[in-house]
Amino acid sequence: MKQVPRHLDRPPLDTPILQWWANEYDFVYAILNPFFKVPSYSPSTTQYGVTHVGNSALQDIINFVTTTKISTSNDAPDDFDSTIKRTGQQVLWSDVQRAIGAEDFVEFARTVWLWVVHSDRSDKNLAIARALTRYCDENHVYPPEEDVLPAVLEPTLSEYLRRLSIDEVTIWSEWRDKSLRVPAAAFDRSNPVVDLPGEKCSGIAAEGFFLSWEFDDVVGLLCLTEELHSKSSPLELFEGFAITPSMYSDVLNPVDLIERNPRPKLS
């Protein structure tokens, strides 16, 4: 397999983010994939998103895929992602946290992630997870999309690229083996959802700019050079936070979850 250039590659889990990209970018931000609402639709009547099969055995997964009825009355229509892009309304993580009364953001955010990907890890706060399910059911809110550029976030990305004076980007597949050049205007709300045929849109790149997502994650990493950052901070438009020298690419995981390289010294 052809080696992925570092400016398009996610940092390994044992290396701090800013250390990994020190020669490519000057700033990195964690961008939270939003919760969202779609007028006239609800998760209970129009299902949308990844189907999880948990920790099932391989044969059980094969049986599920080969015997489960693919289409149900609750399935979203084929173009639902474009409907989300056109009419969807973002719901901030901070608003959800406030609504369910979760006090600690780190615990809340980690539980959101583990709840979205249906993980049974012991550090998922079950009270928060149950509150998230109730909140979304009662308020017709969809959970954050995972692995990809969310449809509801495309118009925000369009505006940010405009502020950075970026007219064209390359969208990349998860393994960076497929790509497609698209105009930045393709992300405008009035256009269909941006699509990389047969692949997930897991990376978006331009000179001095990179935004990417990992498998089973609801947080993107947005990288910028000093020149682009001086035009506009991502936090003017996106919900998220700046990456610090002690953070790794699995930003919602405890740092001591696995063995890591030492924290880099600040100069």
Side-chain angles (χ1 to χ4, degrees), residues 16-19 28-29 241-248 263-264 266:
I17 294 169
L18 297 184
Q19 178 179 306
V28 184
Y29 289 83
F241 49 87
I243 295 298
T244 66
S246 61
M247 291 182 179
Y248 296 79
R263 174 177 173 174
L266 295 175

Side-chain angles (χ1 to χ4, degrees), residues 139-157:
N139 294 279
H140 310 297
V141 171
Y142 286 87
E145 288 196 59
E146 53 186 288
D147 306 349
V148 297
L149 168 66
V152 74
L153 206 57
E154 286 195 25
T156 303
L157 176 60

Side-chain angles (χ1 to χ4, degrees), residues 56-235:
S56 305
L58 177 59
Q59 189 57 51
D60 292 336
I61 296 174
I62 294 172
N63 291 340
F64 176 85
V65 172
T66 56
T67 64
T68 300
K69 186 178 180 182
I70 299 301
S71 179
T72 74
S73 59
N74 287 343
D75 284 346
D78 290 340
D79 61 347
F80 192 59
D81 49 4
S82 290
T83 299
I84 295 170
K85 178 179 178 179
R86 187 175 65 256
T87 68
Q89 303 160 358
Q90 295 184 35
V91 179
L92 299 179
W93 288 42
S94 57
D95 289 344
V96 177
Q97 179 189 4
R98 190 178 306 110
I100 69 172
E103 295 183 359
D104 181 73
F105 180 76
V106 172
E107 182 179 42
F108 167 77
R110 185 174 299 142
T111 296
V112 169
W113 165 46
L114 297 174
W115 171 75
V116 168
V117 301
H118 291 217
S119 170
D120 292 327
R121 263 176 40 176
S122 60
D123 54 345
K124 179 171 72 173
N125 184 306
L126 295 181
I128 291 177
R130 287 191 289 266
L132 287 167
T133 298
R134 287 195 304 270
Y135 172 85
C136 289
D137 288 346
E138 293 171 1
N139 294 279
H140 310 297
V141 171
Y142 286 87
E145 288 196 59
E146 53 186 288
D147 306 349
V148 297
L149 168 66
V152 74
L153 206 57
E154 286 195 25
T156 303
L157 176 60
S158 174
E159 172 58 25
Y160 191 57
L161 292 173
R162 189 172 293 112
R163 293 187 182 191
L164 300 183
S165 301
I166 294 176
D167 297 323
E168 189 177 54
V169 298
T170 300
I171 59 175
W172 288 91
S173 62
E174 180 178 6
W175 301 107
R176 310 293 187 257
D177 54 348
K178 302 288 178 58
S179 65
L180 182 68
R181 298 281 291 179
V182 299
F187 300 103
D188 288 354
R189 188 179 297 276
S190 58
N191 290 322
V193 72
V194 173
D195 180 47
L196 182 57
E199 301 285 347
K200 298 184 296 184
C201 178
S202 296
I204 301 156
E207 184 69 31
F209 175 95
F210 184 48
L211 176 57
S212 67
W213 293 264
E214 285 282 276
F215 175 72
D216 265 4
D217 209 348
V218 292
V219 179
L221 293 181
L222 198 165
C223 311
L224 297 162
T225 59
E226 170 68 44
E227 179 182 1
L228 289 182
H229 187 269
S230 67
K231 296 181 179 180
S232 178
S233 165
L235 299 186

